């Protein structure tokens, strides 16, 4: 994934996070409350934003550091956001509970992303 692609994806995820959060708070609020999924939806939005910022940091770090580990971190954050937050959004909207079994796969990708970022920084100093 190129630096430009990483930064573009982070920018797009940032905008999507705000839109999804607003949609959840306003349009989906009553439905999320009725199904007791408000906390789940908020967790998905928070993790999406946190890892969007991490993806942005990786893209910016690529201006100074060339490391294959940064590519791993970028891919892990990207995949982790899609699987972790995506599975929670889908769970909230559909009620399909088995999606909860997929969420940890996304969480694992996010953890690996942080590990790869740590490694890239450690090796660059």
């Amino acid at each position: 994934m190129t630096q430009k692609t990483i930064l573009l994806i982070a920018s797009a995820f940032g905008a999507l996070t705000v839109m999804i959060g607003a949609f959840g708070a306003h349009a989906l609020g009553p439905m999320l409350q009725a199904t007791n999924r408000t906390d789940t939806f908020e967790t998905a939005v928070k993790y999406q934003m946190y890892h969007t910022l991490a993806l942005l940091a990786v893209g910016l770090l690529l201006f100074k550091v060339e490391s294959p580990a940064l590519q791993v971190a970028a891919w892990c954050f990207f995949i982790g956001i899609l699987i972790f937050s995506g599975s929670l959004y889908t769970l909230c909207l559909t009620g399909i509970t088995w999606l909860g079994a997929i969420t940890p796969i996304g969480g694992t990708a996010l953890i690996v992303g942080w590990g790869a970022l740590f490694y890239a920084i450690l090796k660059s100093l």
Side-chain angles (χ1 to χ4, degrees):
M1 193 177 321
T2 68
Q3 180 184 26
K4 182 177 181 178
T5 301
I6 293 167
L7 292 170
L8 288 171
I9 290 171
S11 299
F13 273 164
L16 282 171
T17 304
V18 175
M19 290 186 283
I20 291 168
F23 186 69
H26 299 290
L28 298 178
M31 190 257 322
L32 292 172
Q33 289 174 354
T35 59
N36 263 348
R37 296 282 186 209
T38 303
D39 288 344
T40 303
F41 195 87
E42 288 177 358
T43 297
V45 172
K46 287 178 193 174
Y47 273 68
Q48 183 175 340
M49 182 55 86
Y50 298 153
H51 292 90
T52 293
L53 294 173
L55 190 58
L56 180 64
V58 168
L60 295 174
L61 193 55
L62 282 167
F63 279 114
K64 294 286 184 186
V65 177
E66 287 188 38
S67 169
L70 288 177
Q71 292 295 323
V72 171
W75 277 107
C76 287
F77 290 144
F78 175 71
I79 291 166
I81 289 168
L82 292 179
I83 296 173
F84 184 88
S85 293
S87 66
L88 292 180
Y89 293 139
T90 306
L91 169 66
C92 290
L93 295 173
T94 67
I96 300 172
T97 56
W98 65 264
L99 288 168
I102 294 171
T103 307
I105 296 168
T108 300
L110 297 173
I111 293 166
V112 171
W114 285 107
L117 180 57
F118 178 89
Y119 179 80
I121 292 168
L122 180 69
K123 290 299 181 178
S124 72
L125 300 175

